[in-house]
Structures are given as structure tokens and as C-alpha cells.
């Protein structure tokens, strides 16, 4: 929430508006007085890394009454406020909409009571309202992610990872209760991200007789040498008769039926607290800026809207449509229309649920129709957090589809040497939370070993190949594709899933591992800023990874509140460096006496980190001193973030489904795959998951610098500058149109 508050205040000031804080939610609006205070640039400094909200929030009974809203209107008018930006859940947003509807009536009443004059009624005739959804449950329809959800998942996964180690040692069963009274999003995604054995959601209750099914599943897992069982329960979990399923009830069941040592952990309010994740800070900053633009463009005729994310795209939606649909979900659940409830939740919820079901429950072997196809999985390039989640997902979906799955160890190097083994369902258990690459990965390209690799493809009769990796994986795919004429062994479906911290693979807006790296950078920057705040008048220069791709430096800068980020994609010269130094000199005269500058490792051949450090040190003499920090390989390591586990799991499952469809087409016809559309990169583009032939992506690639020619995140570059008090022009051509909420058809 604080990142959103910061963005609204700074963007508001940037466009020349007066911005006010209203403290303690609607209560402060009703009470007025010192609860409504003008905000300036510095009042939102150093709040990005703070959880909760600095302006306070409160449930307010008074605002639910007309008298309360009358007082609130009077307090706003005294300060000439007619634009309201509300950050909250569906209750807060519904309240804001009602207030807007009543506005003209409230003004007339105030005029009758003599509290305002006729001119004021004319001058302040309209109230504009824009909402941002802040809710950890992600229970608001129309938006893919609400502010706070990703951070709550971080808290849950930290706990699950810690519990996993103790449960492993003691052979225990853990029942974890997570928040979500009416929405199972947190439970579902954390179950997906940790490979839980069973999950209970309000929207999708278990079928009759679930008690027995669950116990069978748990004992099967034990029999397969799985040392721990994890069951995740949303606090609002119910059965098909709408009766609550509590964590205690589940524990009793496991203890009485199976006699397993079982513990219950209720996470409670831990999930609301802590430092916001990088994703949440960037999301909230984007939403805050978008909200100000929406208010500037609002007319008396535009309905109150919420700004939200759809895929990777900022959108505006009519507030009441979203609220209506959110209430429809609850109604569907009350009326036991559970399929409708899942459908109304939107496509990401339904997709998560299907993926979870496919990966958690293995059918007995005699019930899976065999395809007699062998599908191989390989990791290529540098390690990235989330690769193992992707491998696990591919292996399990492949087995469920009836294929025989092969794992290739140590990249193309291992491929050529024949380091290939069959991999089974239980072999990949517990992989989602592991960082790095368990299969092993190398940067070696296949070009030198085409003969040997073709031989291995023939020996192991590999019918399809899934490559999980970074830019080298993309280059490798191009080389294999080019070798098809010479080696018919390569005439099989091949698909690549992007996994690299640099996020530089053409054909996808995101790659597995980038979110984890971004969180590492953000955490480190937070600590460094804290150190700088203590010493005062200190500027830190931090070097990030990414090759020539400035994604990590730019997004890290946005998430950590940096003063500048130097990247290769936006050339800079000595004049830019000088203006940055002058900017920091000015900043040192304010109460914010510290600076943070990020530099991508390859942004310039001559303006190295050392050069910039020395230049700043010399120019800043007597005003500030300088320190530098190279983050290095810590950005590639660590346990994967919830986003990367989830993204890796879902996108890899999708890639496997594509392979299955391709192999089905060819079955019995001995078909060779020679067309471009059988060698693809799977990626996320704007709002969709799409397969693009590598042949087409070639045109979009800058091979010398190993980056796509066009990158979506460069549009967010002015955001960072505006929020750091630079003049910049922000392109608003994408936003502006109010869209309608689409329920997702199953």
C-alpha cells in the first residue's frame, strides 16, 4: 500500500496538483481536522520498504450512515478536494462509489444547512473516484493480482519452506491454515508452489467421500518414501454442503484414520505483515501513477473505475462491475454453484486449479493410456531459480499424458555424452522449492556436437524435446532447427521455456528466475539504504547482472526507489552523469540525505562501475561521499520466489500440453516435423501465453547484445524518473479506455 501512496503523491505533485493524505481511512474523512493534511514530496520518502500503510486504515461505522458521509463531504470541500483515490478491498471501494453517487445530494444538503454557499455547489459539482485494490486474499474480480497478494505468498512460502525441513526430519504431517475467508487464492497458489498433498478451498470443495480419498492419497505418498505430507487449508474452506472444514477436523481425521504424527500451524496475521515483495512494489507504483492519470482524464460522465493489471497490462475497469462480479462469486458459493464460482474468479484462478489437480494426483499406471513416446527435458544456460519447479511440472504432466519422460543432465554437453536417464513421478517430489538446477546446466551450445546429439536422440528414440533455459537455450534451439535438413533426428517437436535472471529471451515478457533475482536486489538495496540513512549524505552505486539487458537494473531501481539506473538500452553520456550528480547534490539539501544508483553490468564499455564511483566521489566532495557494491552471483541463487515457482510450474505444464498435442497429430503416420511451427518459444506476451516459432523470433532479436529488439519494460522507465523527481515524459497512449470485466468461460 505504501508504494501506491508514494506513487500517487509524487505523480500528483508532478502534474501540479495539491495532494492530501487522509489518515485513518474513512474515519479520518468523517472526523476531518488534522486527519486531512497536505502531503509533500518528502512525506513519502523511505516508505517503499515498509509494510502496512503509513496513513493508517480503519473500519468506519460512521461512513456507512448518511450523516457520516455528509460530514466527510463537508471536510473535503473545505479543502477543495474533488478527486479521491481509494486503496482498499471491495468494502472500501463500494463505499467510495456510494459517496460519489450521493455527492450532488450531499452538496445541496450542505448548502441548505448554510455550511457552504451556492458558488461552492457549482464549483465542486462532481467527485471523481479511482480505486486500487489492496487485499492480500486476491479476492477482487477483474484484476489478476491485487496489491499485497504476492507479499502474503512470500510470507506463506517462507513458513512452508521452514516447516518442510522439520517435517522431513520427523516424518510428520503438517496442516497449514492460510488466510482467505471467502477466497482460496492464497491456499491454491501456495499449494501449487510447495507441491502440497491436498488443498481445501471455499470455491472448490472436495467431492463426497473426500475423507477416505485424502487418507488413501497420504498413505500412498508415505509408501512411495515421501517423508512429509503437507495439507493446506483456506480459513474459509467448506464441503459441498457449505459446512466448514477446519484444520483441527483434518488433523483429527489423519490421526484417527492413519495414526500419523500431525501438527497444525495457523499462519494468521503474519501474512499481512513484513516487507513488501518487489512485485508488489512495482505493481503498486504502476497502479498509483495510472490512478492519477485516470483522475486527470475523468469527466462527470465516466463511472468510478479501478486500475488493475491484466496479464502484464495496466487496465481500467468500471468499479461497480468488478464489485458486482466479486459479490456474484460469493452468491454462487452460497448457492453451491461451485463451478460458476471458479469461473467467475477469472482465468488465472481456474488455470491454477487445473494445474494443481494434474500435478498433485497421479492415476495408477494401468489407468494411464501409454503413447509410446519418449519426451526429454534439458536445462541450458546459467542457473535460474524456478528451473526445478518447471522440470517437476513437465515430468508429471508428461507422465499423466502417457509419455515416458527422460532427463538430460548437464545441458547439451551431457546430451552429447549420453547422460540421459528415465525420470519418474516421485523422482521430482519436493523440487519446487529448490534453487539452482538439479539436472545441472551449462552454457555449451549444441553446434559442435550435432552428430553426437543426433546419435543420442536415435539411441534413446526421443520423440520431443523440452528445453528450459536462457538465451543459450534460444540459440541452441535455432541451431538444432537449422540442422534438421542434415539430421532427421531433429525433426521432432521442440519447445523452449524461458528461464534466466536476465529476462532477455525474445518472445516472452517474463522469464523464470527474474522475479527471484529482483527480490534479491530489492532486499539488498533496502539494507544498503538503511545503512546510508544512518551515515547521512552517502550515495551507493550498485551493479546488477543481466548482460546487456537492463531489466534487473531498471525494475530493481523502481522497486528500491533508486535515484537513477544506468542501462545499455538507453545510452547515456557525461552530461547525464553530471545532471545526476547535480540532482543528488540538491537532494542532500532536503531531509532525504542518501542516494541509490543502479548500474547494469554491461551498460557502457567505458563508464564502468569504478568510473561512475570515482566521478561521483570527486564531484560530490564536501556534499556527499560514495560507496560501491557489486551484487554478483547472489542474484542467480536462493530459493525461488512464489512467482517463479508458480510461473515455472504453469508455463512448463503448458509446454508439455503442446508437445502432447503435436505428438497426437503425428501418431501412426510416422510424421516428420519439418515446419517452423514445430520449433517454438513459449512465452507471455502482454495478456496471453503464446507459442512463437523461433524462425519468426529471429527478426526480433539483437544477437550481438543478446536481447530482444523491443522490450515492454522500457515504457516503465519514465516512471522511475518521475518518482525520483526528474522531468520525464510518460506515454499514456496505452491507457485511457475503460474496459469491461469479462468472466472467464470454462
Amino acid at each position: 500500500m505504501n508504494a501506491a501512496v508514494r506513487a500517487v503523491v509524487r505523480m500528483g505533485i508532478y502534474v501540479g496538483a495539491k495532494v492530501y493524505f487522509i489518515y485513518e481511512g474513512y474515519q479520518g474523512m468523517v472526523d476531518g481536522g488534522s486527519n486531512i493534511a497536505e502531503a509533500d514530496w518528502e512525506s513519502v520518502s523511505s516508505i517503499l520498504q515498509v509494510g502496512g500503510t503509513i496513513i493508517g486504515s480503519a473500519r468506519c461505522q460512521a461512513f456507512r450512515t448518511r450523516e457520516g458521509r455528509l460530514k466527510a463531504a463537508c471536510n473535503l470541500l473545505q479543502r477543495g478536494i474533488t478527486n479521491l483515490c481509494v486503496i482498499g478491498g471491495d468494502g472500501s471501494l463500494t463505499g467510495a462509489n456510494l459517496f460519489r453517487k450521493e455527492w450532488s445530494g450531499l452538496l445541496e444538503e450542505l448548502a441548505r444547512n448554510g455550511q457552504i454557499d451556492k458558488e461552492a455547489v457549482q464549483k465542486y459539482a462532481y467527485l471523481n473516484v479511482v480505486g486500487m485494490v489492496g487485499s492480500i486474499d486476491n479476492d477482487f474480480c477483474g484484476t489478476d493480482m491485487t496489491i499485497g497478494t504476492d507479499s502474503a505468498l512470500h510470507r506463506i512460502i517462507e513458513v512452508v519452506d521452514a516447516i518442510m525441513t522439520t517435517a522431513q526430519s520427523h516424518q510428520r504431517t503438517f496442516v497449514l491454515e492460510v488466510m482467505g475467508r471467502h477466497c482460496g487464492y492464497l491456499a491454491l497458489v501456495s499449494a501449487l508452489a510447495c507441491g502440497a498433498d491436498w488443498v481445501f478451498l471455499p470455491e472448490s470443495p472436495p467431492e463426497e467421500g473426500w475423507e477416505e480419498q485424502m487418507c488413501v492419497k497420504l498413505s500412498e505418498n508415505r509408501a512411495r518414501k515421501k517423508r512429509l505430507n503437507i495439507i493446506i487449508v483456506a480459513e474459509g474452506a467448506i464441503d459441498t454442503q457449505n459446512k466448514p472444514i477446519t484444520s483441527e477436523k483434518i488433523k483429527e481425521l489423519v490421526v484417527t484414520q492413519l495414526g500419523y504424527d500431525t501438527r497444525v500451524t495457523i499462519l494468521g496475521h503474519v501474512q499481512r505483515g513484513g516487507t513488501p515483495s518487489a512485485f508488489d512494489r512495482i505493481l503498486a507504483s504502476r497502479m498509483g501513477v495510472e490512478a492519477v492519470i485516470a483522475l486527470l482524464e475523468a469527466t462527470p460522465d465516466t463511472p468510478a473505475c479501478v486500475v488493475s493489471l491484466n496479464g502484464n497490462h495496466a487496465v481500467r475497469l468500471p468499479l461497480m462491475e468488478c464489485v458486482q462480479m466479486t459479490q456474484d462469486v460469493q452468491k454462487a458459493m452460497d448457492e453451491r454453484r461451485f463451478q460458476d464460482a471458479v469461473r467467475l474468479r477469472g482465468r488465472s484462478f481456474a488455470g491454477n486449479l487445473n494445474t494443481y489437480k494434474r500435478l498433485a494426483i497421479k492415476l495408477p499406471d494401468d489407468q494411464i493410456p501409454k503413447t509410446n513416446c519418449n519426451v526429454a527435458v534439458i536445462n541450458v544456460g546459467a542457473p535460474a531459480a524456478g528451473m526445478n519447479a518447471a522440470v517437476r511440472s513437465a515430468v508429471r504432466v508428461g507422465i499423466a499424458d502417457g509419455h515416458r519422460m527422460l532427463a538430460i543432465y548437464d545441458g547439451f554437453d551431457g546430451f552429447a555424452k549420453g547422460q540421459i536417464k528415465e525420470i519418474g513421478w516421485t523422482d521430482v517430489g519436493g523440487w519446487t522449492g529448490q534453487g539452482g538446477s538439479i539436472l545441472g546446466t551449462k552454457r555449451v551450445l549444441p553446434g559442435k556436437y550435432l552428430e553426437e546429439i543426433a546419435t543420442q536422440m536415435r539411441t534413446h528414440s526421443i520423440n520431443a524435446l523440452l528445453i528450459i533455459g536462457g538465451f543459450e537455450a534460444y540459440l541452441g534451439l535455432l541451431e538444432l532447427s537449422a540442422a534438421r535438413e542434415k539430421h532427421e533426428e531433429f525433426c521432432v517437436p521442440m519447445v523452449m521455456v524461458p528461464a534466466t535472471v536476465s529476462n532477455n529471451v525474445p518472445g516472452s515478457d517474463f522469464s523464470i528466475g527474474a522475479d527471484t533475482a529482483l527480490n534479491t536486489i530489492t532486499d539488498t538495496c533496502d539494507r544498503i539504504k538503511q545503512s546510508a540513512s544512518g551515515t547521512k549524505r552517502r550515495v551507493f552505486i550498485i551493479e546488477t547482472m543481466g548482460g546487456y539487458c537492463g531489466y534487473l537494473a531498471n525494475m530493481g531501481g523502481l522497486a528500491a526507489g533508486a535515484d537513477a539506473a544506468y542501462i545499455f538500452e538507453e545510452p547515456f553520456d557525461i552530461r547525464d552523469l553530471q545532471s545526476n550528480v547535480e540532482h543528488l547534490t540538491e537532494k542532500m539539501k532536503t531531509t532525504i540525505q542518501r542516494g541509490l544508483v543502479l548500474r547494469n553490468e554491461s551498460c557502457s564499455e567505458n563508464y564502468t562501475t569504478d568510473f561512475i564511483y570515482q566521478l561521483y566521489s570527486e564531484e560530490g566532495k564536501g556534499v556527499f561521499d560514495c560507496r560501491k557494491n557489486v551484487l554478483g552471483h547472489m542474484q542467480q541463487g536462493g530459493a525461488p520466489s512464489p512467482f517463479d515457482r508458480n510461473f515455472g510450474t504453469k508455463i512448463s505444464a503448458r509446454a508439455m500440453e503442446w508437445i502432447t498435442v503435436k505428438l497426437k497429430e503425428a501418431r501412426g503416420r510416422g510424421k516428420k516435423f519439418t515446419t517452423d511451427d514445430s520449433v517454438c518459444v513459449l512465452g507471455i506476451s502482454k495478456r496471453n501465453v503464446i507459442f512463437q516459432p523461433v524462425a519468426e523470433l529471429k527478426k526480433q532479436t539483437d544477437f550481438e547484445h543478446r536481447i530482444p529488439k523491443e522490450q515492454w519494460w522500457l515504457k516503465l522507465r519514465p516512471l522511475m524518473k518521475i518518482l525520483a523527481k526528474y522531468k520525464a515524459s510518460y506515454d499514456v497512449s496505452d491507457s485511457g479506455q475503460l474496459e469491461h470485466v469479462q468472466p472467464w468461460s470454462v
Side-chain angles (χ1 to χ4, degrees):
M1 276 181 160
N2 283 328
V5 169
R6 171 180 179 267
V8 170
V9 169
R10 293 195 167 172
M11 187 66 184
I13 292 171
Y14 181 79
V15 297
K18 258 186 161 184
V19 187
Y20 290 88
F21 279 152
I22 297 178
Y23 291 99
E24 312 309 336
Y26 289 133
Q27 193 63 54
M29 206 196 292
V30 174
D31 296 344
S34 61
N35 287 308
I36 305 177
E38 193 174 343
D40 62 18
W41 195 269
E42 288 164 46
S43 37
V44 290
S45 167
S46 303
I47 66 170
L48 261 180
Q49 65 272 26
V50 181
T53 162
I54 56 156
I55 55 178
S57 172
R59 297 188 190 272
C60 172
Q61 285 306 321
F63 195 73
R64 292 172 185 232
T65 65
R66 184 160 167 108
E67 303 89 281
R69 292 193 289 274
L70 194 66
K71 279 188 189 162
C74 187
N75 288 327
L76 292 186
L77 288 173
Q78 285 171 2
R79 296 163 181 81
I81 299 173
T82 54
N83 291 292
L84 208 52
C85 182
V86 182
I87 312 171
D90 57 347
S92 318
L93 298 176
T94 313
N97 193 59
L98 177 62
F99 190 43
R100 179 177 188 268
K101 275 193 185 142
E102 289 182 351
W103 184 257
S104 52
L106 294 169
L107 291 202
E108 281 162 22
E109 195 173 324
L110 288 169
R112 280 201 303 280
N113 303 346
Q115 289 172 276
I116 56 169
D117 55 24
K118 286 276 188 288
E119 282 167 24
V121 177
Q122 307 277 271
K123 191 174 170 191
Y124 304 125
Y126 301 103
L127 177 72
N128 295 318
V129 173
V130 171
M132 283 184 267
V133 194
S135 149
I136 65 161
D137 297 339
N138 200 18
D139 55 359
F140 196 77
C141 293
T143 126
D144 278 0
M145 275 296 243
T146 57
I147 297 168
T149 306
D150 189 63
S151 302
L153 285 171
H154 272 260
R155 297 298 90 77
I156 295 169
I157 294 301
E158 282 159 17
V159 172
V160 173
D161 284 352
I163 280 176
M164 285 252 195
T165 51
T166 143
Q168 281 277 4
S169 321
H170 293 283
Q171 280 206 338
R172 281 190 177 145
T173 296
F174 270 89
V175 180
L176 250 96
E177 184 180 301
V178 300
M179 279 184 165
R181 270 200 308 278
H182 308 295
C183 177
Y185 184 88
L186 290 178
L188 176 56
V189 174
S190 41
L192 200 54
C194 73
D197 297 75
W198 204 271
V199 65
F200 291 94
L201 315 169
E203 293 89 342
S204 181
E207 294 154 15
E208 292 295 317
W210 61 267
E211 293 89 347
E212 194 183 338
Q213 277 180 320
M214 183 181 80
C215 291
V216 168
K217 169 92 198 300
L218 294 178
S219 54
E220 275 177 6
N221 280 348
R222 277 289 161 100
R224 292 197 193 115
K225 298 279 189 286
K226 187 175 178 187
R227 294 180 58 90
L228 78 159
N229 302 110
I230 287 192
I231 299 164
I232 293 184
V233 194
E235 59 180 328
I238 46 175
D239 62 17
T240 45
Q241 303 309 306
N242 283 19
K243 295 207 170 49
I245 297 177
T246 63
S247 36
E248 278 304 324
K249 180 178 168 182
I250 296 165
K251 175 185 169 174
E252 278 165 30
L253 185 76
V254 177
V255 172
T256 52
Q257 298 282 318
L258 299 168
Y260 291 167
D261 184 359
T262 307
R263 300 280 191 275
V264 173
T265 300
I266 296 175
L267 291 191
H269 281 74
V270 167
Q271 297 161 84
R272 284 196 189 281
T275 302
S277 65
F279 181 93
D280 266 334
R281 298 185 199 189
I282 292 164
L283 170 69
S285 300
R286 285 177 73 179
M287 298 298 96
V289 168
E290 199 59 38
V292 173
I293 296 167
L295 284 171
L296 290 176
E297 293 177 356
T299 65
D301 307 324
T302 45
C305 74
V306 278
V307 288
S308 98
L309 257 204
N310 183 340
N312 186 21
H313 210 69
V315 292
R316 295 181 201 170
L317 304 163
L319 189 143
M320 281 328 282
E321 277 185 33
C322 297
V323 169
Q324 187 53 54
M325 204 155 125
T326 304
Q327 288 165 353
D328 288 348
V329 178
Q330 191 52 49
K331 195 162 168 253
M333 277 152 58
D334 294 342
E335 293 169 5
R336 309 220 293 263
R337 290 181 288 114
F338 294 109
Q339 272 179 317
D340 288 348
V342 170
R343 185 176 61 86
L344 289 165
R345 274 274 179 247
R347 66 177 182 179
S348 71
F349 190 89
N352 284 330
L353 188 56
N354 289 334
T355 308
Y356 174 76
K357 284 177 179 165
R358 293 202 69 181
L359 297 176
I361 295 153
K362 180 181 188 290
L363 286 169
D365 283 336
D366 52 9
Q367 286 181 33
I368 302 175
K370 295 281 175 281
T371 59
N372 298 323
C373 289
N374 298 328
V375 180
V377 183
I378 183 172
N379 285 168
V380 177
M387 276 183 162
N388 300 321
V391 172
R392 165 186 177 266
S393 166
V395 167
R396 290 197 168 176
V397 171
I399 291 170
D401 283 346
H403 311 310
R404 190 165 154 264
M405 296 303 295
L406 301 172
I408 300 170
Y409 293 85
D410 296 335
F412 286 119
D413 192 22
F415 203 165
K417 292 177 183 155
Q419 296 172 356
I420 303 167
K421 279 214 290 272
E422 186 174 351
I423 188 165
W425 186 277
T426 47
D427 297 333
V428 290
W431 278 30
T432 40
Q434 308 277 335
S437 160
I438 297 172
L439 293 184
T441 178
K442 284 203 170 138
R443 288 177 178 269
V444 177
L445 291 172
K448 293 196 283 234
Y449 307 106
L450 290 171
E451 287 288 337
E452 293 90 329
I453 292 176
T455 308
Q456 294 297 338
M457 295 274 288
R458 199 166 53 245
T459 312
H460 293 275
S461 56
I462 294 172
N463 305 100
L465 184 62
L466 170 63
I467 305 179
I468 299 167
F471 203 83
E472 284 84 3
Y474 170 69
L475 294 174
L477 201 52
L478 281 167
E479 292 184 0
L480 293 177
S481 164
R484 274 178 162 181
E485 286 172 15
K486 213 163 154 202
H487 304 279
E488 62 170 20
E489 290 84 355
F490 300 138
C491 297
V492 298
M494 298 192 262
V495 62
M496 170 191 165
V497 167
T500 162
V501 296
S502 308
N503 196 21
N504 61 340
V505 176
S508 188
D509 289 354
F510 291 110
S511 62
I512 301 166
D515 184 71
T516 305
L518 208 48
N519 276 297
T520 305
I521 292 168
T522 310
D523 290 348
T524 311
C525 288
D526 285 351
R527 293 180 182 195
I528 286 174
K529 272 170 85 169
Q530 209 169 22
S531 134
S533 304
T535 10
K536 296 270 188 300
R537 298 178 176 276
R538 179 161 285 177
V539 175
F540 274 90
I541 291 152
I542 295 175
E543 181 185 304
T544 68
M545 284 174 106
Y548 285 100
C549 175
Y551 178 82
L552 289 178
N554 188 67
M555 299 309 251
L558 193 55
D563 294 281
Y566 299 116
I567 60 173
F568 167 76
E569 291 88 346
E570 190 178 287
F572 58 98
D573 59 21
I574 196 72
R575 285 177 292 278
D576 298 303
L577 291 169
Q578 188 181 356
S579 93
N580 290 144
V581 171
E582 285 163 8
H583 189 264
L584 283 165
T585 310
E586 282 308 301
K587 187 176 174 182
M588 295 300 159
K589 294 176 185 165
T590 69
T591 54
I592 323 168
Q593 299 187 343
R594 54 167 172 66
L596 184 68
V597 175
L598 270 65
R599 176 189 176 276
N600 157 273
E601 58 184 356
S602 307
C603 65
S604 160
E605 199 180 340
N606 295 313
Y607 296 143
T608 59
T609 303
D610 285 332
F611 176 90
I612 293 176
Y613 162 68
Q614 288 167 336
L615 178 89
Y616 273 59
S617 299
E618 182 59 36
E619 295 294 318
K621 264 190 190 153
V623 185
F624 56 81
D625 62 356
C626 248
R627 293 287 183 275
K628 64 172 194 261
N629 210 330
V630 177
L631 297 184
H633 281 75
M634 62 189 273
Q635 296 164 82
Q636 275 181 6
S641 67
F643 180 91
D644 280 332
R645 294 180 195 201
N646 209 345
F647 179 51
T649 299
K650 286 200 296 198
I651 199 162
S652 181
R654 189 70 198 79
M656 230 26 242
E657 286 163 11
W658 177 86
I659 285 178
T660 299
V661 169
K662 287 279 184 216
L663 291 174
K664 240 187 210 146
E665 287 170 11
R667 197 174 304 157
R669 279 181 287 165
K671 181 180 158 201
K672 293 252 179 295
F673 291 88
T674 50
T675 53
D676 286 347
D677 66 356
S678 60
V679 189
C680 287
V681 172
L682 170 58
I684 285 193
S685 177
K686 286 212 171 73
R687 306 183 186 192
N688 302 307
V689 176
I690 50 172
F691 290 88
Q692 289 170 280
V694 280
E696 284 174 26
L697 290 173
K698 254 171 141 167
K699 301 187 280 291
Q700 303 170 24
T701 311
D702 168 354
F703 285 99
E704 187 193 344
H705 298 106
R706 301 160 54 101
I707 51 175
K709 286 179 184 168
E710 283 188 18
Q711 304 187 77
W712 67 274
W713 53 266
L714 283 167
K715 282 218 289 274
L716 301 185
R717 192 121 169 101
L719 271 194
M720 194 199 82
K721 294 182 183 175
I722 289 170
L723 296 177
K725 220 172 184 171
Y726 284 92
K727 293 274 174 279
S729 54
Y730 182 54
D731 175 18
V732 292
S733 57
D734 273 2
S735 57
Q737 275 56 54
L738 203 61
E739 305 187 12
H740 291 284
V741 189
Q742 303 296 335
W744 189 63
S745 50
V746 174

